[in-house]
């Protein structure tokens, strides 16, 4: 049995990502143990009301991107990453 389930959503500043966060917090079967981490290159756009933790990441094309993301994953013991930018998919 899980005590905590952590999901990291990248590009969390977008409107749809905020709505996904709200949906997960309200309707997920893990909602009682769910921690949401939101990342974006523009931290001002990430809703602190929706996400438990927010982080600014460099552009996915930056050499620092993967290291920064890995630090967040390790810090919060992320179970699932929802990568939402085209650059991350490449």
């Amino acid at each position: 049995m899980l005590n905590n389930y952590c999901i990291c959503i990248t590009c969390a500043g977008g409107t749809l990502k905020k709505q996904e966060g709200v949906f997960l917090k309200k309707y997920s079967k893990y909602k009682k143990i769910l921690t949401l981490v939101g990342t974006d290159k523009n931290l001002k756009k990430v809703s602190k009301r929706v996400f438990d933790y927010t982080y600014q990441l460099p552009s996915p094309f930056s050499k620092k991107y993967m290291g920064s993301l890995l630090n967040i994953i390790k810090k919060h013991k992320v179970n699932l990453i929802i990568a939402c930018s085209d650059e991350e998919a490449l």
Side-chain angles (χ1 to χ4, degrees), residues 3 25 28-34:
N3 313 0
K25 287 282 193 173
S28 169
K29 72 177 185 177
Y30 299 109
K31 66 183 175 187
K32 292 183 180 178
I33 60 169
L34 183 63

Side-chain angles (χ1 to χ4, degrees), residues 3-86:
N3 313 0
N4 185 38
Y5 195 81
C6 185
I7 298 174
C8 177
I9 299 177
T10 66
C11 295
T15 305
L16 287 176
K17 301 304 127 198
K18 292 175 191 172
Q19 293 304 318
E20 286 174 10
V22 169
F23 180 85
L24 287 167
K25 287 282 193 173
K26 283 187 175 184
Y27 302 109
S28 169
K29 72 177 185 177
Y30 299 109
K31 66 183 175 187
K32 292 183 180 178
I33 60 169
L34 183 63
T35 300
L36 284 182
V37 177
T39 67
D40 200 285
K41 62 182 180 181
N42 185 350
L43 193 56
K44 290 180 182 179
K45 291 186 174 185
V46 182
S47 174
K48 292 182 180 175
R49 291 183 178 179
V50 175
F51 296 95
D52 301 300
Y53 300 95
T54 58
Y55 293 93
Q56 183 172 9
L57 287 178
S59 166
F61 294 117
S62 168
K63 291 181 180 182
K64 296 180 181 182
Y65 177 80
M66 192 55 74
S68 300
L69 184 58
L70 285 172
N71 287 338
I72 294 167
I73 291 166
K74 290 176 185 176
K75 180 177 182 175
H76 294 286
K77 298 178 181 167
V78 172
N79 300 93
L80 175 67
I81 300 170
I82 301 175
C84 300
S85 78
D86 292 340

